[in-house]
């Protein structure tokens, strides 16, 4: 079984739900407490042993590439001022030279197309895919746990969670088969099904371990739900020839693709920080009394 060394991060989305902020800031660079959303997702990949990060970007996303580069002037100035704790934060997060790659999606044709754009950089080996909209809180990261299941099952491994059965039309949904390791075998997948057609309420929650054969399938996958080339449709085709296992994630997931989920993530990650937790709790209590809806 080949080791998973590379991870793909599709970061080309326009982030229209965060306008006007996303006129000039990629949504992946919005901060949860003190670090951009993309940093949480990259940290999760590093924790899982990923060695090479591949970003599928788009126009006006250059700032993401800058973010992962060394900021020499800033580092020098922090060193001169003796701000070693700040400098350590930068150094700890800095990817080693040559371990990041960037390519552009060029046209917003859907997640399946974004993944396909990474085919040359991934090559002929299994890879992880992390959707940066979703950030997670758990003692052990979601992708690291998926790697454990992958070492038992091989093939393809997808993270799933349960949604309200009335909300299956918001997600990719999988069918549940027999248990395998800490997860279960997938019996099929469908993108954004009507609740009456959904095979279960287990939805794809944004972490994938995929085999490289997905690329040649995505190359000929037709547009599906939302008139976009859907990864789920490509995986359903690959499912005819390869195994798919689901890893039900036990931690907390925050959908930073919407302002409400983003606020929830900020509160949750602030509460996770012992240095600011008490202040945040006090502020929330006070504001609940003081602030009423304005409209
Ligand atoms: C995408 C995937 C979907 C998955 C979801 C998780 O949908 O196509 O299968 O459940 O991410 O966030 P999107 O949110 O881009 O509509």
């Amino acid at each position: 079984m080949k080791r998973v060394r590379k991870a793909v991060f599709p970061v080309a989305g326009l982030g229209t739900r965060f306008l006007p902020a996303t006129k000039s800031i990629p949504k992946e660079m919005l901060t949860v407490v003190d670090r951009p959303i993309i940093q949480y997702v990259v940290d999760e990949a590093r924790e899982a042993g990923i060695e090479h990060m591949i970003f599928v970007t788009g126009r006006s996303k250059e700032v993401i590439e800058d973010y992962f580069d060394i900021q020499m002037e800033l580092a020098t100035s922090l060193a001169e001022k003796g701000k070693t704790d700040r400098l350590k934060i930068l150094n700890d997060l800095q990817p080693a030279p040559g371990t990041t790659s960037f390519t552009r999606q060029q046209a917003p044709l859907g997640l399946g197309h974004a993944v396909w754009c990474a085919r040359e950089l991934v090559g002929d080996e299994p890879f992880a895919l992390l959707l940066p909209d979703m950030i997670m809180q758990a003692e052990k990261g979601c992708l690291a746990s998926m790697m454990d299941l992958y070492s038992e099952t091989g093939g393809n491994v997808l993270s799933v969670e349960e949604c309200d059965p009335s909300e299956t039309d918001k997600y990719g949904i999988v069918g549940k088969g027999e248990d395998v390791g800490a997860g279960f075998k997938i019996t099929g997948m469908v993108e954004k099904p009507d609740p009456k057609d959904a095979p279960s309420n287990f939805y794809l929650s944004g972490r994938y371990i995929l085999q490289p054969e997905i690329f040649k399938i995505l190359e000929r996958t037709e547009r599906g739900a939302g008139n976009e080339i859907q990864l789920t449709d490509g995986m359903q085709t690959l499912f005819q020839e390869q195994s798919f296992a689901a890893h039900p994630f036990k931690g907390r997931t925050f959908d930073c693709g919407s302002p409400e989920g983003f606020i929830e993530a900020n509160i949750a990650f602030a509460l996770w920080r012992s240095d600011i937790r008490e202040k945040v709790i006090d502020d929330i209590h006070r504001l609940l009394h003081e602030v009423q809806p304005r409209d």
Side-chain angles (χ1 to χ4, degrees), residues 7-12 25-32 34-46 53-57 61 63-68 93 95 100 102 130-136 207 256 262:
V8 174
F9 304 86
V11 291
I25 308 169
K27 63 176 173 176
E28 298 80 9
M29 291 302 295
L30 298 173
T31 50
V32 170
D34 58 4
R35 54 193 60 201
I37 290 171
I38 190 69
Q39 183 68 59
Y40 290 87
V41 191
V42 163
D43 285 349
E44 186 187 325
R46 288 172 85 174
M53 318 274 175
I54 298 165
F55 299 87
V56 180
T57 73
K61 299 274 182 165
V63 64
I64 298 178
E65 192 164 348
D66 291 343
Y67 174 77
F68 287 106
L93 297 179
T100 53
F102 298 82
L130 299 95
L131 307 191
D133 273 357
M134 298 296 203
I135 61 172
M136 294 159 169
R207 302 291 185 266
C256 291
F262 174 71

Side-chain angles (χ1 to χ4, degrees), residues 37 43 49 72-74 172 200 243:
I37 290 171
D43 285 349
M72 198 54 83
E73 275 175 33
L74 177 61
S200 77
S243 73

